[in-house]
């Protein structure tokens, strides 16, 4: 059923199922704790067919641990993250400090504003003891995912945002919060508990855009939003004259 949706969207990569707390799935790769693991390359590897797992020890990037729902990874792994995310350490930086720490990422005008963002993060423990990423073609091996993470270009994102309102008539079904590239997982996990959940757009983190596809953003949603997308496909915008014009550049 879902294969038809991905075919009609002409997705380059498979949708990724995110499984919180899974301990039974057999994985092609268990991220190793002895190396620095960025979540984005692992998600992209999963979108190409791999089943991948991370636990708290191997999810050792502060932002990644936070984004993957291993609690407050900032306090645990980098309590000064608000300095880097704002204007950096400047002249106080020791010699040899990486430029991102010295000059800062400059996502916020000062440390206090960056700390305000940090304190408002919807920290979650849903991932414990292990989070698993699996492509759509292998969900049958594992079960129903908690979240679905898609990598898509602007045309495909536009169609998906439109389709999220197809059965409910709401104009607002998608949110685009600022966060690190993997933080859309955290924000989507927060939506799982809501009566009317939203999908989350992501990959806005310009410090990590070099690790993602140039013409690509992400859309992450609770499974209860993903499932209806394949209902009434024959009536959807993917069968319209407008979409046929777009398909010409997607094929």
């Amino acid at each position: 059923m879902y294969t038809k949706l991905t075919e009609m969207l002409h997705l380059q990569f498979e949708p990724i199922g995110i499984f919180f707390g899974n301990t039974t799935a057999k994985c092609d790769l268990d991220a190793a704790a002895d190396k620095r693991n960025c979540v984005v390359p692992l998600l992209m590897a999963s979108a190409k067919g791999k089943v991948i797992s991370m636990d708290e020890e191997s999810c050792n990037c502060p932002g990644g641990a936070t984004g993957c729902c291993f609690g407050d990874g900032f306090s645990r792994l980098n309590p000064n993250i608000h300095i880097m995310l704002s204007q950096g350490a400047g002249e106080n930086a020791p010699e040899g400090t990486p430029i991102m720490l010295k000059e800062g990422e400059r996502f916020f005008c000062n440390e206090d504003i960056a700390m305000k963002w940090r304190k408002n993060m919807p920290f979650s423990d849903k991932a414990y003891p292990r989070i698993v990423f699996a492509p759509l073609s292998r969900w049958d091996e594992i079960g129903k995912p908690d979240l679905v993470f898609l990598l898509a270009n602007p045309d495909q994102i536009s169609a998906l945002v439109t389709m999220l309102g197809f059965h409910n008539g709401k104009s607002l079904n998608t949110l685009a919060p600022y966060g690190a590239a993997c933080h859309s997982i955290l924000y989507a996990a927060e939506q799982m508990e809501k009566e009317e959940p939203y999908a989350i757009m992501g990959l806005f983190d310009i410090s990590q855009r070099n690790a993602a596809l140039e013409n690509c953003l992400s859309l992450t949603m609770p499974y209860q939003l993903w499932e209806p997308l394949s209902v009434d496909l024959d009536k959807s915008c993917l069968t319209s004259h407008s979409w046929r014009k777009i398909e010409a550049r997607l094929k």
Side-chain angles (χ1 to χ4, degrees):
M1 177 172 66
Y2 303 129
T3 302
K4 182 64 175 177
L5 172 61
T6 61
E7 289 174 351
M8 293 177 74
L9 285 166
H10 300 280
L11 293 176
Q12 181 180 359
F13 298 106
E14 288 193 67
I16 303 163
I18 297 176
F19 301 80
F20 289 127
N22 182 285
T23 59
T24 59
K26 294 181 179 179
C27 299
D28 302 307
L29 172 66
D30 298 305
D34 60 355
K35 62 175 290 187
R36 175 83 165 195
N37 294 304
C38 178
V39 177
V40 173
L42 296 179
L43 286 168
M44 295 189 70
S46 182
K48 296 177 183 178
K50 300 287 187 181
V51 179
I52 296 172
S53 77
M54 304 181 82
D55 58 18
E56 181 181 3
E57 189 176 5
S58 61
C59 197
N60 47 27
C61 163
T66 298
C68 285
C69 299
F70 286 108
D72 180 359
F74 296 137
S75 295
R76 192 167 66 248
L77 299 170
N78 187 356
N80 293 319
I81 189 71
H82 55 288
I83 298 174
M84 186 185 78
L85 294 178
S86 54
Q87 301 300 304
E91 295 178 356
N92 298 321
E95 186 176 350
T97 297
I99 190 169
M100 69 175 60
L101 299 178
K102 184 176 182 178
E103 295 187 358
E105 300 285 12
R106 306 191 179 187
F107 297 147
F108 300 99
C109 61
N110 58 50
E111 294 178 22
D112 291 339
I113 297 299
M115 182 60 79
K116 181 179 180 181
W117 167 83
R118 174 179 163 180
K119 288 181 177 178
N120 285 324
M121 293 288 288
F123 298 111
S124 171
D125 293 332
K126 288 183 182 298
Y128 288 100
R130 186 176 81 155
I131 190 171
V132 171
F133 308 135
L136 172 63
S137 58
R138 301 184 64 180
W139 291 0
D140 286 345
E141 302 174 25
I142 305 171
K144 182 174 72 175
D146 296 296
L147 302 177
V148 179
F149 181 101
L150 299 105
L151 295 163
N153 67 28
D155 289 334
Q156 296 156 339
I157 291 283
S158 298
L160 287 162
V161 169
T162 300
M163 293 172 70
L164 285 165
F166 186 49
H167 289 108
N168 65 24
K170 292 167 52 183
S171 59
L172 183 60
N173 295 283
T174 308
L175 302 177
Y178 163 74
C182 57
H183 285 173
S184 56
I185 297 173
L186 174 65
Y187 286 113
E190 182 186 26
Q191 296 300 314
M192 289 170 58
E193 314 302 331
K194 298 190 176 182
E195 186 174 340
E196 295 187 358
Y198 293 98
I200 305 295
M201 288 182 63
L203 286 183
F204 300 123
D205 182 356
I206 63 171
S207 68
Q208 292 298 319
R209 286 290 302 169
N210 65 318
L213 296 172
E214 180 181 2
N215 194 34
C216 186
L217 291 173
S218 68
L219 192 67
T220 311
M221 65 190 78
Y223 185 82
Q224 65 260 43
L225 287 182
W226 164 258
E227 196 169 28
L229 290 178
S230 291
V231 178
D232 296 325
L233 277 176
D234 60 327
K235 301 176 183 177
S236 75
C237 64
L238 299 183
T239 61
S240 70
H241 64 283
S242 297
W243 183 252
R244 285 195 291 273
K245 293 178 181 178
I246 292 174
E247 277 188 304
R249 64 188 184 202
L250 291 176
K251 290 181 179 178

